[in-house]
């Protein structure tokens, strides 16, 4: 399901979603397709975010785009000699 469709079905709330497809743009993952799992109460969003399993995430439908910023640790770069 496209993110815009999810936003229309679940307006202004946190959702636990499964990420089905995404593409990368520089240091961002732009999510293209998701499968909604369940709504999350506002007061439980932080706890559920940290409990989310690989491939799932808690995200708020007020966001027009579903973007995950990729943190790249400069200390983890491989140095070529």
């Amino acid at each position: 399901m496209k993110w815009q469709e999810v936003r229309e079905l679940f307006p202004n709330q946190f959702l636990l979603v499964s990420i089905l497809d995404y593409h990368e743009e520089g240091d961002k993952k732009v999510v293209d397709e998701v499968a909604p799992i369940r709504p999350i109460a506002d007061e439980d969003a932080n706890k559920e975010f940290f409990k989310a399993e690989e491939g799932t995430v808690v995200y708020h439908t007020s966001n027009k785009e579903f973007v995950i910023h990729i943190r790249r640790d400069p200390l983890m770069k491989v140095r070529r000699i």
Side-chain angles (χ1 to χ4, degrees), residues 27-53:
D27 63 346
K28 300 175 188 174
K29 284 185 181 181
V30 179
V31 177
D32 301 311
E33 296 272 342
V34 298
I37 298 172
R38 63 183 162 86
I40 303 292
D42 290 355
E43 59 271 9
D44 296 331
N46 196 40
K47 176 179 69 172
E48 294 294 330
F49 177 84
F50 287 104
K51 282 178 33 180
E53 296 181 13

Side-chain angles (χ1 to χ4, degrees), residues 13-63:
Q13 59 187 298
F14 285 102
L15 288 178
L16 177 63
V17 298
S18 177
I19 297 173
L20 302 177
D21 190 32
Y22 69 90
H23 66 277
E24 290 190 18
E25 294 178 7
D27 63 346
K28 300 175 188 174
K29 284 185 181 181
V30 179
V31 177
D32 301 311
E33 296 272 342
V34 298
I37 298 172
R38 63 183 162 86
I40 303 292
D42 290 355
E43 59 271 9
D44 296 331
N46 196 40
K47 176 179 69 172
E48 294 294 330
F49 177 84
F50 287 104
K51 282 178 33 180
E53 296 181 13
E54 188 173 344
T56 65
V57 69
V58 174
Y59 209 72
H60 201 277
T61 58
S62 65
N63 295 296

